[in-house]
Structures are given as structure tokens and as C-alpha cells.
Amino acid sequence: MSKMHLKLTVNGEAHELLAEPRELLIHVIRERLNLTGPHIGCETSHCGACTVDMNGRSVKSCTVFAAQANGAEITTIEGIGAPGALHPLQEAFREHHGLQCGFCTPGMITRAYRFLQENPSPSEAEVRMGMAGNLCRCTGYQNIVKAILSAAAEMNTVKEAAE
Amino acid sequence: MIPAAFEYHRPTDLAAALATLGEFGDEARVVAGGHSLIPMMKLRMAEIGHVVDLQDIADLKGIRIDGTAVWIGAMTTQHELIGHQGLAAAAPILRETALQIADPQVRYVGTIGGNVANGDPGNDMPALMQCLDATFTLAGPNGSREVAARDFYEGAYVTLREDDEILTGIRFEATGGGQAYEKQKRKIGDYATAAAAAILKKDGTSCSAASIAMTNLSDMPVWSKAAGDALVGTACAAADIDAAVAAALGDISPNADNRGPVEFKRHVAGIIIRRAIEQAWARA
């Protein structure tokens, strides 16, 4: 089966590669681009560990063919913050103990990153609805919700100070 | 899980998409959001030789509201339905239903066209489309035809759409009324154990029109004319609603599965249908 020429912009960087159409986006991201932040959890589009931002939408990259992503702009957890320059969401997850084993965390934060752009001042109930596609099996959701609410407040304070 | 190999096509107009379907016949399938098809391909329960991605076909996108006439392009995502203010005013039940489908990530990519065309009895939009008396447009090699949502479904995954046709859009008349979609599911992301759509119109104190449809309670969506008839002309008092629920339960044939045995499903269905009717009447 012939390979396709794919162009992807990932974390602001342009990539060109050859891939079979059946390759899943998560495999291209992890194995070709060596960005191992997004995780493979359930592989059945339930758990959200593989969440990346694609063209301004949170998607489960285990259920997207790389071919469908041809031409897309993608952000992974690696593009959201970096060691020494953490995103407010990353700081808040650390501060509020929003992770334990950490497996779900890249997906959680990548989803929360998009959610807060759509709803910068959410209620607790809205956070729970907005994060409903990401499962955590150890910390529980209480501290994850707390972290996202705290990050939202922090980001709003920074935005107001800048205006 | 890696699916079997396939050729990928991304046509930029409907004619090219139809030509590809015509060329490859039942080896080809269109993909919209892909969140029904791709998991089946990964499990190798579906082997598709040619995947025809519809994402670049502009004619399949958008929402148009002209008075009471509503048209929704097949490639409109659940997320777009939820965020559309005009639609929320014209037919709020669409937003209420879409919000109960899957989870945010799936709603960003899942489309209304895929939801109605797939024929999965677990999908929520087919029953809603029957409740709204919507019409589907199917484009094929010999032009377009229209099929009523109430006639479209023949069984699980079996619809009146031919292999060489693409469902391009949905239209319906938004004629108001109190509207409600109630759904019982075990968890976020699951299909309904039972779900029901109700649209009721009120004239003074009595019900002047009623439409009731149900999800995942048979091999296909069920529109219950008898349930609606039981309410029309009544004040939707407790006994009237009892009669409508009984009529609706008479039209379903749920299957036992991992959501429970038939008796349990009928029990949940009774509660959900009642809630949908009561909620719609309260909003009428």
C-alpha cells in the first residue's frame, strides 16, 4: 500500500513525512516525531490520554488517521509548557496535587488548555462537563478540577494585569 | 490496534466523492468524524479498501435557518450544533441532545451526518430527527433524493441509503413547542440504556400536537405515533402521560445486552419517556 506525503505543523514546527494512510495520529506523534507526552491509554477513544489539540479542537489522536490530520496545526503537551517555563495549568496541577501517577496528565492539561480558551471563567460544573472526555484512575477528579479552576483564575489575573 | 491497509481519498467536492464511491463500490466508505468507523477498523470488524474523507467538501458544512426552515450540512459537528445560537433558539432540543452525546473530544469531530447515516441504534440523532419529522438528502450518481427520517431506518446499520450515495444534509421545520431529550446512560461516553425525545405543543391548556421518539430501545430508532396520539387533546395529566408511556412501551423491542436485560430496559424506558414528556410539557 502506497505511502502518503504528510505535512503537519506540530508545536509550531513544520514536519514532512511519509506515512501509510492507516497510521494513527498518536503513532506518528510518538514514534515519528518522538513527542511522547501524549499517551496511549485505552486506544478506544474513551480515556483521553492521547488528547492533542488539532486545528483548535481537542481530539483523541488514537482515533484520527494521520492522513486526516494532513495539513493540520497540532499542539501537544510539549508545546504548552517546558521545564522551567511551565504553563499556569501545569503549575496548578503541581500545586493542587492534580496528578498522582501522571499517565492521564498530558491529556488532561492539553484538554484543559483548549477548554479554558473557550470558557475562561468556568464554574466547577462546567469544568467537570468540559473535562468529561478524560479519565483519571488514581488521583480522582477533585484536585484536577481544583487545579483547572485555580489556573483559570491565575490566567485571568495575568490577562487583566496585561490590559 | 492497527487497522488493515487502505487507500485514502480526500475529494474537494461532492462530485469527486461520488465518483470515488462509484469507482470502488462497496469497498469504499465515506468518513466524517470517524469516531464510529475508525474504532471498527482498528478492531478489524470493518475492512474498508478505500476511505473517502469528506472534510474538505465545503457544500456539506454549515447551518442555515430561514424562518422556520432549518438546513444542517451533514459535516456539521456536534460541537458546532451546540454552539449555534440560531439553532438553540429555533430547535433547542438539538443542543440538548448533542450535549448528551459522548464527550467533548468526540463532539468536536463527530458529525450530525455520520450520526444519522450510520444506522447505529445507539446513536441519538436518528430518534431526534424522527421526532422533528426531518428529511435527509441523499446525493447519488443520478442526482439527489430526499427520504423522511421516519422511513430511513430498516434495522441495525441498515438504512435506505445506497452504497453509492452520500447523505449531504438534513432539513426540518422548526415549529416550536416544548422540547426535551432525556437519556439514561451508565457513564459519559456510553450509549443510552434508554433515551427519548418529546416535542409537545400547547393550545390553551390542552396538548395540540405531540411527537415522541426513542433511542436504543429497538434495532432502529422508534417514532411512536400511538404515544403522541395518547396526548393530543388532553391536558397531559398524570393518567394521560401514563397512557402515552404505555403506548410508547408498546412500540419498542429492546435487546438484552451489557446494559441490562430486557425487563430492566423497559423499566428505564418507562421512566425516561415519562421524564421527556413531563419536561417537554413544562416547556410548552
Side-chain angles (χ1 to χ4, degrees):
Chain A
M1 203 60 62
S2 57
K3 289 197 171 184
M4 283 182 69
H5 183 213
L6 296 185
K7 289 185 184 183
L8 301 171
T9 303
V10 183
N11 301 330
E13 205 176 303
H15 294 274
E16 294 194 30
L17 54 115
L18 290 174
E20 280 190 63
R22 64 173 168 168
E23 281 183 55
L24 296 163
L25 181 58
I26 185 67
H27 293 142
V28 166
I29 289 171
R30 287 178 56 87
E31 292 163 20
R32 306 290 203 95
L33 306 181
N34 296 318
L35 296 168
T36 53
H39 291 156
I40 300 174
C42 70
E43 254 212 283
T44 54
S45 74
H46 287 93
C47 79
C50 64
T51 298
V52 302
D53 202 76
M54 182 167 103
N55 294 330
R57 308 178 301 181
S58 307
V59 300
K60 294 180 176 178
S61 58
C62 77
T63 308
V64 176
F65 291 125
Q68 291 174 290
N70 194 11
E73 293 239 7
I74 290 165
T75 303
T76 67
I77 187 69
E78 288 90 344
I80 289 175
L86 295 184
H87 187 276
L89 274 162
Q90 293 171 309
E91 287 283 6
F93 269 65
R94 181 166 73 178
E95 181 66 25
H96 292 274
H97 196 76
L99 65 149
Q100 192 167 307
C101 84
F103 192 86
C104 71
T105 314
M108 286 280 177
I109 290 178
T110 307
R111 168 59 193 146
Y113 164 82
R114 175 56 47 195
F115 172 67
L116 289 183
Q117 292 189 35
E118 293 180 356
N119 185 351
S121 304
S123 66
E124 184 186 327
E126 287 169 340
V127 171
R128 288 181 186 275
M129 273 294 283
M131 297 300 295
N134 293 75
L135 302 181
C136 168
R137 299 284 87 153
C138 54
T139 305
Y141 299 97
Q142 207 62 29
N143 288 348
I144 290 170
V145 173
K146 242 189 248 175
I148 294 168
L149 287 169
S150 160
E154 169 65 19
M155 289 162 72
N156 288 336
T157 305
V158 170
K159 207 192 307 170
E160 277 163 30
E163 279 165 6
Chain B
M1 292 180 289
I2 314 283
F6 58 85
E7 292 286 346
Y8 175 80
H9 307 262
R10 199 195 282 190
T12 53
D13 60 52
L14 190 59
L18 289 169
T20 305
L21 288 188
E23 186 179 350
F24 298 107
D26 61 8
E27 280 181 49
R29 278 290 291 274
V30 298
V31 64
H35 276 44
S36 297
L37 184 64
I38 294 172
M40 296 306 281
M41 291 174 71
K42 286 169 67 177
L43 292 166
R44 306 228 176 180
M45 291 170 78
E47 276 208 36
I48 312 288
H50 295 266
V51 169
V52 183
D53 186 345
L54 303 179
Q55 68 170 296
D56 282 351
I57 304 178
D59 286 349
L60 300 180
K61 292 179 185 165
I63 297 169
R64 292 198 291 268
I65 302 174
D66 182 9
T68 58
V70 177
W71 179 86
I72 303 172
M75 287 294 284
T76 304
T77 65
Q78 309 293 357
H79 181 78
E80 289 162 347
L81 289 180
I82 290 165
H84 195 276
Q85 295 304 316
L87 206 54
I93 195 169
L94 264 164
R95 181 173 193 276
E96 185 166 69
T97 304
L99 275 168
Q100 296 179 69
I101 295 174
D103 63 45
Q105 282 95 320
V106 177
R107 293 194 292 265
Y108 279 113
V109 291
T111 65
I112 190 166
N115 198 286
V116 301
N118 197 29
D120 183 338
N123 284 148
D124 294 281
M125 287 293 173
L128 175 57
M129 293 301 123
Q130 295 192 340
C131 184
L132 286 163
D133 198 13
T135 302
F136 302 150
T137 303
L138 301 169
N142 305 314
S144 281
R145 65 185 177 118
E146 298 212 308
V147 178
R150 291 177 189 172
D151 299 330
F152 185 69
Y153 299 94
E154 298 190 301
Y157 304 100
V158 183
T159 69
L160 290 182
R161 187 187 64 80
E162 300 291 343
D163 283 343
D164 58 359
E165 289 181 312
I166 295 173
L167 192 149
T168 57
I170 292 161
R171 62 178 182 79
F172 63 89
E173 290 294 318
T175 54
Q179 310 184 346
Y181 191 78
E182 290 284 331
K183 179 176 180 179
Q184 168 64 39
K185 54 185 175 181
R186 297 175 302 176
K187 62 174 191 64
I188 289 285
D190 193 19
Y191 291 122
T193 303
I199 299 180
L200 304 182
K201 286 182 193 157
K202 200 177 199 173
D203 184 8
T205 57
S206 83
C207 175
S208 58
S211 180
I212 314 288
M214 293 161 281
T215 295
N216 221 11
L217 291 167
S218 288
D219 286 341
M220 58 183 122
V222 175
W223 177 70
S224 175
K225 183 175 186 305
D229 288 348
L231 294 170
V232 172
T234 75
C236 289
D240 306 319
I241 295 177
D242 286 346
V245 171
L249 291 175
D251 281 342
I252 61 172
S253 48
N255 297 311
D257 60 17
N258 55 7
R259 295 179 190 86
V262 170
E263 270 182 315
F264 176 70
K265 295 225 179 148
R266 298 189 72 86
H267 171 75
V268 177
I271 292 167
I272 289 298
I273 296 160
R274 180 180 304 277
R275 282 187 193 165
I277 293 170
E278 288 174 350
Q279 183 70 269
W281 185 243
R283 292 168 175 172

